[in-house]
């Protein structure tokens, strides 16, 4: 059976974001685990009803984020959410655990039967909101091998949003993409400077030319700019663009999702 990353290259896929409610132990938590799981699965149902076949879950409401090391209460509930989504719907599903908790995400993905993780800090150290984040490609891929999770694709952010890259300013985004490919990334994610911000078209174009991996746009895609970005990537992660008012923390707007998918289908011919 092909990994999701192998199916992705040369195709066009929309990945709808599920920003799960604040999880147990985090400052903004106000819901029980059962309520959190129910809400996340319901959002997956909205995407499924609107014709999206790929989703990703993320603990974005868990601000402020821990740097790499999150508690077992986070990893366990994220795994349950992913499992419930995969059980109820025939959806490709990925996971990201903020901030940079890539091993936790991989463990949760493997346990839940998920298809991919979104990894921060795979190559090159950078200064994130949470502090200095060192690269973890060697550790992460060895961990994937050790638990037998080779079926889980690892998509890697480069020149990640919400971060300073002054330390590595002499390494271009193309250099970073090539390093990620050399270190066996399964796909490259290019973003804007912050959540909801558009990716730089020139950077995106040059990155796609430089690697033989799926290239994914990780922020800023909307119905209005989709046509402009459509030829440049294999997949489009959409979060804010699917939410009421275009705000990531709001609920999913069925109308926004349906209009986006209608345009995406038209562009796909």
């Amino acid at each position: 059976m092909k990994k999701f990353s192998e199916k992705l290259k040369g195709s066009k896929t929309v990945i709808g974001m599920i920003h799960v409610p604040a999880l147990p132990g985090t400052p903004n938590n106000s819901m029980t685990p059962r309520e959190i799981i129910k809400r996340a699965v319901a959002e997956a149902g909205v995407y499924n009803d609107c014709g999206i076949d790929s989703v990703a879950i993320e603990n974005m409401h868990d601000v402020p984020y821990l740097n790499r090391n999150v508690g077992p209460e986070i990893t366990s509930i994220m795994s349950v959410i992913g499992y419930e989504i995969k059980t109820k719907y025939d959806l490709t599903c990925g996971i990201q655990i903020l901030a940079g908790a890539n091993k936790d995400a991989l463990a949760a993905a493997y346990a839940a039967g998920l298809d991919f993780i979104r990894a921060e800090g795979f190559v090159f150290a950078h200064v994130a909101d949470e502090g200095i984040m060192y690269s973890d490609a060697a550790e992460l891929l060895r961990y994937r091998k050790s638990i037998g999770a080779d079926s889980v694709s690892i998509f890697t952010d480069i020149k990640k949003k919400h971060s300073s890259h002054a330390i590595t300013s002499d390494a271009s985004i193309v250099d970073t993409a090539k390093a990620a490919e050399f270190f066996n990334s399964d796909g490259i994610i290019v973003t804007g400077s912050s959540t909801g911000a558009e990716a730089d078209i020139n950077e995106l174009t040059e990155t796609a030319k430089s690697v033989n991996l799926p290239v994914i746009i990780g922020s800023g895609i909307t119905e209005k700019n989709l046509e402009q970005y459509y030829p440049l990537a294999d997949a489009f992660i959409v979060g804010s663009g699917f939410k009421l008012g275009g705000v990531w923390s709001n609920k999913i707007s069925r109308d926004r999702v349906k209009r986006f998918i209608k345009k995406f289908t038209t562009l796909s011919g």
Side-chain angles (χ1 to χ4, degrees):
M1 184 176 179
K2 284 188 176 181
K3 290 167 61 174
F4 182 49
S5 56
E6 295 170 341
K7 298 175 184 177
L8 202 56
K9 185 62 180 173
S11 67
K12 300 288 182 182
T13 300
V14 178
I15 301 171
M17 284 303 306
I18 298 171
H19 298 118
V20 303
L23 299 178
T26 63
N28 295 323
N29 171 252
S30 62
M31 300 172 66
T32 67
R34 185 179 296 274
E35 290 170 335
I36 291 168
I37 294 164
K38 184 177 179 180
R39 171 80 63 83
V41 173
E43 290 198 355
V46 173
Y47 284 133
N48 183 71
D49 293 345
C50 293
I52 286 181
D53 58 12
S54 298
V55 299
I57 57 175
E58 180 187 54
N59 60 324
M60 195 160 172
H61 287 275
D62 284 1
V63 290
Y65 310 118
L66 294 166
N67 189 338
R68 293 285 194 202
N69 298 307
V70 298
E73 70 281 1
I74 302 300
T75 310
S76 59
I77 193 170
M78 289 292 280
S79 182
V80 172
I81 291 169
Y83 178 82
E84 291 294 328
I85 289 172
K86 289 290 287 187
T87 299
K88 188 164 185 176
Y89 301 108
D90 185 21
L91 293 169
T92 297
C93 186
I95 183 173
Q96 179 174 20
I97 299 182
L98 301 169
N102 299 333
K103 285 177 70 175
D104 296 82
L106 187 58
Y110 184 54
L114 307 187
D115 304 281
F116 67 92
I117 72 166
R118 180 174 180 173
E120 305 173 71
F122 188 74
V123 290
F124 287 103
H126 62 275
V127 182
D129 301 29
E130 304 80 21
I132 296 175
M133 193 173 287
Y134 294 100
S135 59
D136 72 345
E139 182 180 359
L140 184 62
L141 292 186
R142 281 165 174 78
Y143 180 64
R144 180 170 69 174
K145 178 62 71 174
S146 73
I147 65 173
D150 289 343
S151 61
V152 180
S153 297
I154 297 175
F155 298 142
T156 56
D157 274 280
I158 56 172
K159 296 288 185 180
K160 188 186 176 297
K161 59 188 179 182
H162 300 290
S163 302
S164 169
H165 301 284
I167 298 172
T168 56
S169 60
D170 58 337
S172 69
I173 194 167
V174 168
D175 294 331
T176 310
K178 288 180 177 179
E181 182 176 37
F182 182 66
F183 275 10
N184 294 327
S185 167
D186 291 310
I188 303 296
I189 300 175
V190 179
T191 71
S193 59
S194 62
T195 298
E198 295 182 8
D200 183 279
I201 286 182
N202 292 328
E203 288 186 345
L204 186 60
T205 302
E206 291 305 310
T207 298
K209 288 179 181 178
S210 71
V211 296
N212 188 31
L213 291 174
V215 173
I216 302 159
I217 300 177
S219 71
I221 295 296
T222 66
E223 178 194 356
K224 291 182 179 179
N225 66 21
L226 176 61
E227 187 168 0
Q228 183 181 19
Y229 283 99
Y230 184 84
L232 304 177
D234 300 290
F236 309 86
I237 298 174
V238 186
S240 301
F242 285 157
K243 303 299 185 69
L244 292 168
V247 178
W248 74 266
S249 55
N250 288 342
K251 292 182 179 180
I252 296 172
S253 165
R254 285 180 180 268
D255 185 55
R256 278 177 170 261
V257 178
K258 287 179 179 178
R259 291 202 315 266
F260 186 98
I261 291 301
K262 182 178 180 180
K263 187 166 187 178
F264 183 82
T265 302
T266 298
L267 291 170
S268 300

